[in-house]
Structure formats: C-alpha cells, structure tokens
Amino acid sequence: MSRRSDILAALDAKRRDGRAIIGAGAGTGISAKFLHKGGADLIFIYNSGRFRMQGLSSWVGHLPFGDANAIVMEMGEREVMPVVPDANVIAGVCGFDPTRRMSHFLPKIVEAGFAGVINYPTVAVIDGRMRADLEAGGLGFDKEVEMIRLAHGLDLLTTAYVCTPDEARAMVDTGVDIVVAHMGLTVGGAIGAQHAMAMEEATEGVRAIAEASRAARADVFVVAHGGPIAGPEDARTLFGMVPVDGFVGASSMERLPIEEPLRANTHAFTQLRTWD
C-alpha cells in the first residue's frame, strides 16, 4: 500500500468507529511535537502558522509579507518534519502562485517528505470585489482545484478548504480525499476574529458543504474548521448537530491553548519576592 492508502485506511477505521478525525496546524517544531504526541492524525503546515506564532493575525498569511510556498517548504524541511519524523505532515500549498508551475513544484513536495497537501492560502475565504478581481486576473479558485488534481495524480493525500457547496463539488471532482468546510477565521484570544458567524450559521454552512460533498462522492471525508468552532466543546456541539468526520484546527490547537497559561505563569513569577 502507498502512504496515502495507509493514511486513508487509518482515517476510515476511525470514522467507522465513530472517533473524530483530528488535524492540527503547527507553526513551530515544538507545537508539531506536542500536537503529534496528543494524537493528531494530520499535522498541517501553513505560512500563516509562522505569522500566527509571531503574534500576528492569520490573515497575514494571505497578504504580501512572504513567499507562502517557500515558507512552508522551509518550515517542513527544517523545523517540523525533523522533530516529528513519524507524523503525517500536510503542506499548505498556494495553488494560485503565479511564480511557480505546480507540475514542477508538487514533486518537490513529495521529495521533501510531506504526506499531502491542502490549498492554503486560499481565495475561498476572500469575497466581494477583491475575489472578483483575483478570479478575473487568473488568480482564482480554479488554480487551487487544478493543484489538488495534480497532487492527487502524485498519490499525495489531498485535503481542500472550501467555503461553499459549489467549491466542495469542484474539489470532489478532482478526487480529493478530505473536504474541509472553512467557516472563517477562528474566534477568540488576542488576535482571533472579532466578527465571526454564530454557531447556528456555521452549523448550516458545514451541513450544506457536507451534503454537497457526499452527493458528489459518498466516501469523501468531510471535516470542519474555524469560525466559532474554537475549542473541543464547540467541536462536540457541532458533531452533535451535523454528521461530519472530524475537525481541523490551527489557532484552536496551538494559539488559544497557550495565550492565557503563558500570561498566568509569567504573572505568577512576577508576584514572587526575593526576600520578606
């Protein structure tokens, strides 16, 4: 069996047993190490992870402050995979990068040792005039769809962020293994979303994407991400309302869990006296 087949068999066993499939975004090696020790099935590396762990908004990963694909390659090869050699590490690939030919770049992803890819940064999370201009300028979602199609042909595990049922159907047509229903920037903490949708709206959004995905191919995995789904209890609530296979978190996995403990621990030190 190929590595992709092994991963899919393990994920299917969890699905049949009713256990949630969990993906976790890592912005540092130490995050990856303990996300893996915690049992994450997949470790995702995004350019935004590096920025997030610098204390910056995840939106920075969508803006012109670095070469997204080069950042992910460096993070994977030098910071993450050396400390979690047994983990299934997924590369966030900017499929609409106009400076690279994906047919040449994706084999480098394989050679580097990544188990799979996800379309990130993604124009799926952009709307309005900017989205229309990106699409018209040849920097649209269709480029991400084609990237996933090429990755599938290389037997990489393919995961895809989508925000609408139409985007889900387009990705399922490529043979994508996992559809990730993206509900926006994660709420909470110092740099999280301040205007995220309500859980009820997110639930309906995930449901619509799940139904469209499974209507296109019954065995596709569907997991949720982002918005108001910020912690384990939020995910538990979602699972009770929508038949999905799991959850992919980034801020919810490595930023939110450390913000307050770091502050509290440091504050405790500052309250110490060296003499009474």
Side-chain angles (χ1 to χ4, degrees), residues 184-237:
L185 192 67
T186 303
V187 301
I191 54 175
Q194 302 300 311
H195 306 289
M197 66 180 71
M199 179 61 83
E200 293 78 10
E201 185 180 356
T203 297
E204 291 311 307
V206 173
R207 186 190 311 279
I209 288 169
E211 290 177 352
S213 300
R214 290 169 178 150
R217 197 178 80 237
D219 67 343
V220 68
F221 291 93
V222 181
V223 299
H225 169 82
I229 316 164
E233 289 307 311
D234 301 318
R236 188 192 306 275
T237 297

Short mmCIF file of all heavy atoms in Angstrom, two decimals, residues 184-237:
data_model
loop_
_atom_site.label_atom_id
_atom_site.label_comp_id
_atom_site.label_asym_id
_atom_site.label_seq_id
_atom_site.Cartn_x
_atom_site.Cartn_y
_atom_site.Cartn_z
N GLY A 184 -14.34 30.41 8.38
CA GLY A 184 -13.74 31.70 8.64
C GLY A 184 -12.67 31.67 9.71
O GLY A 184 -12.41 30.65 10.34
N LEU A 185 -12.05 32.83 9.93
CA LEU A 185 -11.00 32.97 10.94
C LEU A 185 -11.56 32.58 12.31
O LEU A 185 -12.67 32.97 12.68
CB LEU A 185 -10.52 34.42 10.97
CG LEU A 185 -9.24 34.73 11.75
CD1 LEU A 185 -8.03 34.08 11.09
CD2 LEU A 185 -9.03 36.25 11.84
N THR A 186 -10.76 31.82 13.06
CA THR A 186 -11.20 31.34 14.37
C THR A 186 -11.37 32.49 15.36
O THR A 186 -10.54 33.40 15.42
CB THR A 186 -10.18 30.33 14.93
OG1 THR A 186 -10.02 29.26 13.98
CG2 THR A 186 -10.64 29.75 16.26
N VAL A 187 -12.43 32.43 16.13
CA VAL A 187 -12.70 33.47 17.13
C VAL A 187 -11.82 33.26 18.36
O VAL A 187 -11.27 32.18 18.58
CB VAL A 187 -14.18 33.45 17.59
CG1 VAL A 187 -15.11 33.67 16.42
CG2 VAL A 187 -14.52 32.15 18.32
N GLY A 188 -11.70 34.33 19.15
CA GLY A 188 -11.11 34.20 20.47
C GLY A 188 -9.65 34.59 20.55
O GLY A 188 -8.93 34.66 19.56
N GLY A 189 -9.23 34.88 21.79
CA GLY A 189 -7.85 35.23 22.05
C GLY A 189 -7.52 36.65 21.61
O GLY A 189 -8.39 37.44 21.25
N ALA A 190 -6.22 36.94 21.61
CA ALA A 190 -5.77 38.30 21.36
C ALA A 190 -5.86 38.71 19.90
O ALA A 190 -6.02 39.89 19.60
CB ALA A 190 -4.32 38.44 21.84
N ILE A 191 -5.75 37.75 18.98
CA ILE A 191 -5.71 38.10 17.56
C ILE A 191 -6.73 37.32 16.75
O ILE A 191 -6.63 37.25 15.52
CB ILE A 191 -4.29 37.89 16.97
CG1 ILE A 191 -3.80 36.45 17.23
CG2 ILE A 191 -3.31 38.90 17.55
CD1 ILE A 191 -2.46 36.14 16.57
N GLY A 192 -7.72 36.75 17.40
CA GLY A 192 -8.75 35.99 16.69
C GLY A 192 -9.78 36.90 16.05
O GLY A 192 -9.79 38.12 16.22
N ALA A 193 -10.69 36.27 15.29
CA ALA A 193 -11.75 37.03 14.62
C ALA A 193 -12.66 37.69 15.64
O ALA A 193 -12.97 37.12 16.69
CB ALA A 193 -12.57 36.08 13.74
N GLN A 194 -13.07 38.91 15.35
CA GLN A 194 -13.96 39.65 16.22
C GLN A 194 -15.39 39.67 15.70
O GLN A 194 -16.31 40.07 16.42
CB GLN A 194 -13.46 41.09 16.36
CG GLN A 194 -12.05 41.20 16.90
CD GLN A 194 -11.90 40.60 18.28
OE1 GLN A 194 -12.69 40.88 19.18
NE2 GLN A 194 -10.88 39.75 18.45
N HIS A 195 -15.58 39.23 14.47
CA HIS A 195 -16.91 39.32 13.86
C HIS A 195 -17.29 38.01 13.17
O HIS A 195 -17.82 38.00 12.07
CB HIS A 195 -16.96 40.47 12.85
CG HIS A 195 -16.53 41.79 13.43
ND1 HIS A 195 -17.28 42.49 14.33
CD2 HIS A 195 -15.39 42.51 13.24
CE1 HIS A 195 -16.65 43.60 14.68
NE2 HIS A 195 -15.50 43.63 14.02
N ALA A 196 -16.99 36.90 13.80
CA ALA A 196 -17.28 35.59 13.20
C ALA A 196 -18.77 35.28 13.23
O ALA A 196 -19.54 35.86 14.01
CB ALA A 196 -16.52 34.50 13.94
N MET A 197 -19.18 34.38 12.37
CA MET A 197 -20.58 33.94 12.33
C MET A 197 -20.95 33.20 13.60
O MET A 197 -20.08 32.69 14.32
CB MET A 197 -20.81 33.05 11.10
CG MET A 197 -20.07 31.73 11.15
SD MET A 197 -20.37 30.70 9.68
CE MET A 197 -19.48 31.61 8.41
N ALA A 198 -22.25 33.14 13.88
CA ALA A 198 -22.75 32.40 15.03
C ALA A 198 -22.65 30.91 14.77
O ALA A 198 -22.56 30.46 13.63
CB ALA A 198 -24.19 32.79 15.31
N MET A 199 -22.68 30.11 15.85
CA MET A 199 -22.58 28.67 15.72
C MET A 199 -23.70 28.12 14.85
O MET A 199 -23.48 27.19 14.06
CB MET A 199 -22.59 28.00 17.09
CG MET A 199 -22.52 26.47 17.04
SD MET A 199 -21.00 25.83 16.27
CE MET A 199 -19.87 25.89 17.66
N GLU A 200 -24.90 28.66 14.95
CA GLU A 200 -26.03 28.17 14.15
C GLU A 200 -25.74 28.36 12.66
O GLU A 200 -26.00 27.47 11.84
CB GLU A 200 -27.32 28.90 14.52
CG GLU A 200 -27.82 28.60 15.93
CD GLU A 200 -27.05 29.34 17.01
OE1 GLU A 200 -26.25 30.24 16.67
OE2 GLU A 200 -27.25 29.02 18.20
N GLU A 201 -25.18 29.51 12.30
CA GLU A 201 -24.85 29.77 10.90
C GLU A 201 -23.72 28.86 10.43
O GLU A 201 -23.75 28.34 9.30
CB GLU A 201 -24.45 31.24 10.73
CG GLU A 201 -24.20 31.64 9.28
CD GLU A 201 -23.81 33.10 9.13
OE1 GLU A 201 -23.79 33.83 10.15
OE2 GLU A 201 -23.49 33.50 7.99
N ALA A 202 -22.72 28.67 11.29
CA ALA A 202 -21.62 27.78 10.94
C ALA A 202 -22.12 26.35 10.76
O ALA A 202 -21.70 25.64 9.83
CB ALA A 202 -20.55 27.83 12.03
N THR A 203 -23.03 25.93 11.62
CA THR A 203 -23.58 24.58 11.52
C THR A 203 -24.25 24.37 10.18
O THR A 203 -24.06 23.34 9.51
CB THR A 203 -24.59 24.33 12.65
OG1 THR A 203 -23.90 24.42 13.91
CG2 THR A 203 -25.24 22.97 12.53
N GLU A 204 -25.04 25.35 9.75
CA GLU A 204 -25.73 25.22 8.46
C GLU A 204 -24.75 25.27 7.30
O GLU A 204 -24.92 24.59 6.28
CB GLU A 204 -26.80 26.30 8.33
CG GLU A 204 -27.97 26.11 9.28
CD GLU A 204 -28.52 24.68 9.23
OE1 GLU A 204 -28.84 24.21 8.11
OE2 GLU A 204 -28.62 24.04 10.29
N GLY A 205 -23.69 26.08 7.44
CA GLY A 205 -22.67 26.13 6.40
C GLY A 205 -21.94 24.81 6.25
O GLY A 205 -21.72 24.32 5.13
N VAL A 206 -21.57 24.21 7.37
CA VAL A 206 -20.90 22.90 7.34
C VAL A 206 -21.84 21.85 6.78
O VAL A 206 -21.44 21.00 5.96
CB VAL A 206 -20.41 22.50 8.74
CG1 VAL A 206 -19.88 21.08 8.74
CG2 VAL A 206 -19.34 23.47 9.24
N ARG A 207 -23.12 21.89 7.18
CA ARG A 207 -24.08 20.91 6.70
C ARG A 207 -24.22 20.97 5.17
O ARG A 207 -24.22 19.94 4.49
CB ARG A 207 -25.45 21.15 7.35
CG ARG A 207 -26.49 20.07 7.00
CD ARG A 207 -27.88 20.47 7.46
NE ARG A 207 -27.90 20.92 8.84
CZ ARG A 207 -27.92 20.11 9.88
NH1 ARG A 207 -27.90 18.79 9.70
NH2 ARG A 207 -27.94 20.60 11.12
N ALA A 208 -24.34 22.18 4.62
CA ALA A 208 -24.51 22.34 3.17
C ALA A 208 -23.30 21.80 2.42
O ALA A 208 -23.43 21.14 1.38
CB ALA A 208 -24.74 23.81 2.83
N ILE A 209 -22.10 22.08 2.94
CA ILE A 209 -20.88 21.59 2.29
C ILE A 209 -20.78 20.07 2.40
O ILE A 209 -20.42 19.39 1.43
CB ILE A 209 -19.66 22.28 2.92
CG1 ILE A 209 -19.61 23.74 2.47
CG2 ILE A 209 -18.36 21.55 2.55
CD1 ILE A 209 -18.60 24.58 3.20
N ALA A 210 -21.13 19.53 3.55
CA ALA A 210 -21.08 18.08 3.74
C ALA A 210 -22.04 17.36 2.80
O ALA A 210 -21.70 16.35 2.17
CB ALA A 210 -21.38 17.72 5.19
N GLU A 211 -23.25 17.89 2.69
CA GLU A 211 -24.25 17.25 1.83
C GLU A 211 -23.83 17.30 0.37
O GLU A 211 -23.97 16.32 -0.37
CB GLU A 211 -25.60 17.92 2.04
CG GLU A 211 -26.23 17.61 3.40
CD GLU A 211 -27.53 18.34 3.63
OE1 GLU A 211 -27.88 19.22 2.80
OE2 GLU A 211 -28.19 18.05 4.65
N ALA A 212 -23.30 18.45 -0.07
CA ALA A 212 -22.86 18.57 -1.46
C ALA A 212 -21.69 17.64 -1.74
O ALA A 212 -21.62 17.00 -2.81
CB ALA A 212 -22.47 20.02 -1.75
N SER A 213 -20.77 17.55 -0.80
CA SER A 213 -19.59 16.69 -0.99
C SER A 213 -19.98 15.23 -1.11
O SER A 213 -19.53 14.51 -2.02
CB SER A 213 -18.62 16.87 0.19
OG SER A 213 -18.19 18.21 0.29
N ARG A 214 -20.84 14.78 -0.21
CA ARG A 214 -21.22 13.36 -0.20
C ARG A 214 -22.16 13.01 -1.34
O ARG A 214 -22.18 11.85 -1.79
CB ARG A 214 -21.83 13.01 1.15
CG ARG A 214 -20.77 13.03 2.26
CD ARG A 214 -21.38 12.95 3.63
NE ARG A 214 -20.34 12.92 4.66
CZ ARG A 214 -20.51 13.41 5.88
NH1 ARG A 214 -21.67 13.95 6.24
NH2 ARG A 214 -19.53 13.35 6.76
N ALA A 215 -22.92 13.98 -1.83
CA ALA A 215 -23.75 13.72 -3.01
C ALA A 215 -22.87 13.50 -4.23
O ALA A 215 -23.21 12.73 -5.13
CB ALA A 215 -24.70 14.89 -3.24
N ALA A 216 -21.71 14.18 -4.25
CA ALA A 216 -20.77 14.01 -5.37
C ALA A 216 -19.97 12.73 -5.25
O ALA A 216 -19.67 12.08 -6.25
CB ALA A 216 -19.83 15.22 -5.43
N ARG A 217 -19.61 12.34 -4.02
CA ARG A 217 -18.90 11.07 -3.78
C ARG A 217 -19.13 10.64 -2.35
O ARG A 217 -18.70 11.32 -1.42
CB ARG A 217 -17.40 11.21 -4.06
CG ARG A 217 -16.72 9.85 -4.24
CD ARG A 217 -15.26 9.96 -4.55
NE ARG A 217 -14.45 10.20 -3.37
CZ ARG A 217 -13.64 11.24 -3.21
NH1 ARG A 217 -13.54 12.15 -4.16
NH2 ARG A 217 -12.93 11.36 -2.11
N ALA A 218 -19.79 9.54 -2.18
CA ALA A 218 -20.28 9.14 -0.85
C ALA A 218 -19.18 8.91 0.17
O ALA A 218 -19.38 9.12 1.37
CB ALA A 218 -21.14 7.89 -0.98
N ASP A 219 -17.99 8.47 -0.28
CA ASP A 219 -16.96 8.09 0.68
C ASP A 219 -15.98 9.21 1.04
O ASP A 219 -15.04 9.00 1.81
CB ASP A 219 -16.18 6.88 0.17
CG ASP A 219 -15.35 7.20 -1.08
OD1 ASP A 219 -15.61 8.24 -1.72
OD2 ASP A 219 -14.45 6.40 -1.41
N VAL A 220 -16.19 10.41 0.51
CA VAL A 220 -15.26 11.51 0.80
C VAL A 220 -15.35 11.87 2.28
O VAL A 220 -16.42 11.85 2.89
CB VAL A 220 -15.55 12.73 -0.09
CG1 VAL A 220 -16.88 13.38 0.26
CG2 VAL A 220 -14.41 13.74 -0.01
N PHE A 221 -14.20 12.18 2.88
CA PHE A 221 -14.18 12.63 4.26
C PHE A 221 -14.55 14.12 4.30
O PHE A 221 -14.09 14.90 3.45
CB PHE A 221 -12.79 12.45 4.88
CG PHE A 221 -12.39 11.02 5.09
CD1 PHE A 221 -11.67 10.34 4.12
CD2 PHE A 221 -12.73 10.35 6.25
CE1 PHE A 221 -11.29 9.02 4.30
CE2 PHE A 221 -12.36 9.03 6.45
CZ PHE A 221 -11.65 8.36 5.47
N VAL A 222 -15.34 14.51 5.29
CA VAL A 222 -15.70 15.91 5.47
C VAL A 222 -15.42 16.31 6.91
O VAL A 222 -15.93 15.67 7.84
CB VAL A 222 -17.18 16.18 5.13
CG1 VAL A 222 -17.50 17.66 5.30
CG2 VAL A 222 -17.51 15.73 3.71
N VAL A 223 -14.61 17.34 7.09
CA VAL A 223 -14.30 17.84 8.42
C VAL A 223 -14.56 19.35 8.45
O VAL A 223 -14.69 19.99 7.39
CB VAL A 223 -12.85 17.53 8.83
CG1 VAL A 223 -12.60 16.03 8.85
CG2 VAL A 223 -11.86 18.22 7.89
N ALA A 224 -14.64 19.92 9.64
CA ALA A 224 -14.94 21.34 9.79
C ALA A 224 -13.73 22.10 10.30
O ALA A 224 -12.79 21.53 10.86
CB ALA A 224 -16.11 21.51 10.76
N HIS A 225 -13.78 23.43 10.11
CA HIS A 225 -12.69 24.29 10.56
C HIS A 225 -13.18 25.71 10.80
O HIS A 225 -13.99 26.24 10.03
CB HIS A 225 -11.58 24.34 9.50
CG HIS A 225 -10.54 25.42 9.76
ND1 HIS A 225 -9.50 25.23 10.64
CD2 HIS A 225 -10.42 26.68 9.29
CE1 HIS A 225 -8.77 26.33 10.68
NE2 HIS A 225 -9.31 27.23 9.88
N GLY A 226 -12.68 26.33 11.86
CA GLY A 226 -12.74 27.77 12.01
C GLY A 226 -14.01 28.39 12.54
O GLY A 226 -14.91 27.71 13.04
N GLY A 227 -14.06 29.72 12.42
CA GLY A 227 -15.20 30.48 12.90
C GLY A 227 -15.41 30.29 14.39
O GLY A 227 -14.48 30.39 15.19
N PRO A 228 -16.67 29.99 14.79
CA PRO A 228 -16.97 29.83 16.21
C PRO A 228 -16.54 28.48 16.78
O PRO A 228 -16.71 28.25 17.98
CB PRO A 228 -18.49 29.98 16.25
CG PRO A 228 -18.94 29.44 14.94
CD PRO A 228 -17.88 29.87 13.96
N ILE A 229 -16.01 27.60 15.95
CA ILE A 229 -15.58 26.27 16.42
C ILE A 229 -14.14 26.43 16.92
O ILE A 229 -13.17 26.16 16.21
CB ILE A 229 -15.66 25.22 15.30
CG1 ILE A 229 -16.97 25.35 14.52
CG2 ILE A 229 -15.54 23.80 15.87
CD1 ILE A 229 -16.98 24.65 13.20
N ALA A 230 -14.01 26.89 18.16
CA ALA A 230 -12.71 27.31 18.67
C ALA A 230 -12.12 26.37 19.72
O ALA A 230 -10.95 26.52 20.07
CB ALA A 230 -12.82 28.72 19.25
N GLY A 231 -12.90 25.44 20.22
CA GLY A 231 -12.40 24.54 21.25
C GLY A 231 -13.07 23.19 21.19
O GLY A 231 -14.02 22.98 20.41
N PRO A 232 -12.63 22.23 22.01
CA PRO A 232 -13.20 20.88 21.99
C PRO A 232 -14.72 20.86 22.22
O PRO A 232 -15.42 20.08 21.57
CB PRO A 232 -12.45 20.16 23.11
CG PRO A 232 -11.16 20.89 23.23
CD PRO A 232 -11.48 22.32 22.95
N GLU A 233 -15.21 21.71 23.12
CA GLU A 233 -16.65 21.70 23.38
C GLU A 233 -17.43 22.25 22.20
O GLU A 233 -18.54 21.80 21.91
CB GLU A 233 -16.96 22.47 24.66
CG GLU A 233 -16.51 21.76 25.92
CD GLU A 233 -17.04 20.33 25.99
OE1 GLU A 233 -18.26 20.13 25.78
OE2 GLU A 233 -16.24 19.41 26.25
N ASP A 234 -16.86 23.24 21.50
CA ASP A 234 -17.50 23.75 20.29
C ASP A 234 -17.59 22.65 19.23
O ASP A 234 -18.61 22.48 18.56
CB ASP A 234 -16.72 24.93 19.71
CG ASP A 234 -16.58 26.07 20.69
OD1 ASP A 234 -17.57 26.39 21.37
OD2 ASP A 234 -15.48 26.66 20.77
N ALA A 235 -16.50 21.89 19.08
CA ALA A 235 -16.50 20.79 18.12
C ALA A 235 -17.50 19.72 18.51
O ALA A 235 -18.21 19.17 17.67
CB ALA A 235 -15.10 20.20 17.99
N ARG A 236 -17.57 19.43 19.82
CA ARG A 236 -18.53 18.44 20.29
C ARG A 236 -19.97 18.88 19.96
O ARG A 236 -20.79 18.07 19.53
CB ARG A 236 -18.38 18.24 21.79
CG ARG A 236 -19.23 17.08 22.35
CD ARG A 236 -19.28 17.11 23.87
NE ARG A 236 -17.96 17.14 24.45
CZ ARG A 236 -17.23 16.06 24.68
NH1 ARG A 236 -17.69 14.86 24.36
NH2 ARG A 236 -16.03 16.16 25.23
N THR A 237 -20.24 20.17 20.14
CA THR A 237 -21.56 20.70 19.80
C THR A 237 -21.85 20.52 18.32
O THR A 237 -22.94 20.08 17.93
CB THR A 237 -21.65 22.19 20.17
OG1 THR A 237 -21.49 22.33 21.59
CG2 THR A 237 -22.98 22.79 19.75
#
